[in-house]
Amino acid sequence: MKISFELEPGDIQRFHEALERAEQRVACAEECDIVAAARHSLQTLPIETAPGYIRQRLLQVVELVQMLEDEAWALPQVERREVLKLLAYFSDPEDLIPDDVAVIGLLDDAIMLELLLREIRHVVAAYDDFRRARDDLGAAADEAGRISRARDLARRRDQLQARMRRRRVREEVTRAGNAGVDA
């Protein structure tokens, strides 16, 4: 069964307000504390009993934590802040609908995750491509092979991060152009 709903401007405003609170937490907290809070939420929330839609979004949080901790990926600061904002919202038990409210407590988290994941989809796609490239390179048997592999992987990372930035800029320009047409 597919259920869809439409968010009205007031609904979206409440999400933006909650997101602003998450941004404030990112500005005031250490990255390791935000990641630890997200890990704690993942361990304590009833994810396995949540509806499939919610469970899928929440499990993507695991991948975002892995992305932040992946030293080879070395996610740049601008994109790190976007991911941290998402994790800060996710780990706030007192968000729009408190997480301990039976059945619907995680619904707002899933909706916000969906909205924020759409904003960082180019980052997620680039990281997925990076992990595939790393897997394709395999392990090196000797020191020279490890150095060559590290060089190849760094080159691929730089290409993918440049691609994610180009796509983001292109999308922002398109959005700004569409806003000008609508005005």
Side-chain angles (χ1 to χ4, degrees):
M1 176 189 317
K2 182 176 182 174
I3 298 173
S4 62
F5 54 91
E6 190 172 318
L7 297 176
E8 296 178 358
D11 302 324
I12 294 172
Q13 180 59 35
R14 284 190 286 280
F15 277 108
H16 281 290
E17 290 166 359
L19 194 53
E20 286 174 19
R21 289 190 301 275
E23 287 174 349
Q24 291 170 357
R25 282 193 302 284
V26 169
C28 298
E30 296 291 326
E31 179 175 320
C32 61
D33 294 333
I34 295 168
V35 170
R39 283 187 186 282
H40 176 74
S41 293
L42 287 167
Q43 293 169 353
T44 58
L45 292 172
I47 294 172
E48 57 282 339
T49 60
Y53 168 78
I54 293 172
R55 191 172 47 254
Q56 288 174 343
R57 297 306 165 278
L58 298 181
L59 291 176
Q60 287 178 297
V61 173
V62 174
E63 293 178 15
L64 295 175
V65 169
Q66 291 170 348
M67 179 195 316
L68 286 176
E69 294 178 336
D70 189 335
E71 292 178 9
W73 177 236
L75 186 64
Q77 196 59 38
V78 170
E79 290 81 9
R80 285 186 95 73
R81 288 188 61 77
E82 291 300 310
V83 174
L84 288 168
K85 180 173 56 173
L86 187 149
L87 294 179
Y89 181 87
F90 167 71
S91 60
D92 182 3
E94 299 299 322
D95 46 28
L96 291 177
I97 304 171
D99 294 341
D100 58 358
V101 174
V103 182
I104 64 166
L106 296 174
L107 181 59
D108 66 309
D109 293 272
I111 293 169
M112 183 63 87
L113 287 170
E114 178 69 29
L115 294 171
L116 293 175
L117 284 166
R118 286 179 185 205
E119 284 186 23
I120 64 168
R121 72 181 170 281
H122 302 306
V123 174
V124 172
Y127 182 60
D128 288 344
D129 289 346
F130 176 78
R131 290 190 301 184
R132 276 192 293 280
R134 180 169 44 201
D135 291 345
D136 290 346
L137 286 172
D142 61 2
E143 183 70 21
R146 285 191 294 276
I147 291 170
S148 176
R149 180 185 184 276
R151 228 180 265 129
D152 292 344
L153 191 59
R155 189 176 311 112
R156 184 65 180 141
R157 177 199 61 219
D158 294 344
Q159 291 169 347
L160 290 167
Q161 288 181 355
R163 182 190 77 187
M164 77 182 180
R165 285 189 204 98
R166 280 191 312 272
R167 288 179 175 177
R168 182 178 179 174
V169 167
R170 185 172 43 237
E171 194 170 90
E172 288 171 358
V173 168
T174 301
R175 231 181 289 146
N178 290 341
V181 170
D182 294 338

